[in-house]
Each structure stands twice: as C-alpha cells, then as structure tokens.
Amino acid sequence: MSRLLLVVLLLATIASAIGVVYSRHRHRQLFVELTRLEHARDELNIEFGRLQLEQATLAQATRVDQEARGRLGMKFPEAADIVVVRP
C-alpha cells in the first residue's frame, strides 16, 4: 500500500511540476503578446492623433475655400446673379 501511495504522490508531484512549467511558459507567451498589442495600440493612437489634426486642417473654411477656388475653379456669385425667393 505504501508503494502505491508513493507512486501516486510521485505522479502528482510530476504532474504539478509539468503544470508549473506550462503555466510559466504560457505566462511568458501572453506577456509577449500583451507587449506587442500595447505597442500596436500606441502606434494606432499616434496615427489617430495625426488623422484628427489632418481632419481639423482640412475642415477649416479657408482651406475649403482655397480648394474650391484653386482645384475646382469655383467662385462666389456676383450680386446681380443672386435671386432672393420670398415665400
């Protein structure tokens, strides 16, 4: 009976040791993945800030006016060309 108990305890000890090794390995894998994801998040936050700045620049009325005049050849109508319609 003591031999059986000894074998069971030995197997339990080996299984526990394997479990500890696996847990540490998995912890390292997850830590590396977390670090990679945090780096990607930081890069995306920087890109988001750049896009917000670009959007603010492009949305300015003077910028829109410049693009309309320069690229599209648009201009404001003359006073004589404006017709006011009353209800």
Side-chain angles (χ1 to χ4, degrees), residues 6-17:
L6 185 62
V7 169
V8 169
L9 288 176
L10 182 63
L11 291 175
T13 303
I14 291 172
S16 295

Side-chain angles (χ1 to χ4, degrees), residues 39-60:
H39 182 68
R41 180 204 58 203
D42 293 343
E43 288 179 359
L44 289 173
N45 280 335
I46 290 169
E47 182 65 22
F48 182 67
R50 287 182 189 146
L51 290 173
Q52 283 182 317
L53 181 61
E54 184 179 348
Q55 179 189 20
T57 302
L58 294 174
Q60 292 176 349

Side-chain angles (χ1 to χ4, degrees), residues 2-31:
S2 64
R3 275 187 176 238
L4 179 64
L5 183 61
L6 185 62
V7 169
V8 169
L9 288 176
L10 182 63
L11 291 175
T13 303
I14 291 172
S16 295
I18 291 172
V20 167
V21 170
Y22 174 76
S23 294
R24 287 184 179 176
H25 175 69
R26 186 71 180 137
H27 173 264
R28 286 187 190 116
Q29 284 179 331
L30 291 174
F31 182 76

Side-chain angles (χ1 to χ4, degrees), residues 46-80:
I46 290 169
E47 182 65 22
F48 182 67
R50 287 182 189 146
L51 290 173
Q52 283 182 317
L53 181 61
E54 184 179 348
Q55 179 189 20
T57 302
L58 294 174
Q60 292 176 349
T62 55
R63 174 76 177 164
V64 173
D65 186 46
Q66 288 174 352
E67 291 296 321
R69 289 177 191 267
R71 268 195 188 171
L72 303 174
M74 300 174 90
K75 62 179 184 173
F76 283 108
E78 300 295 326

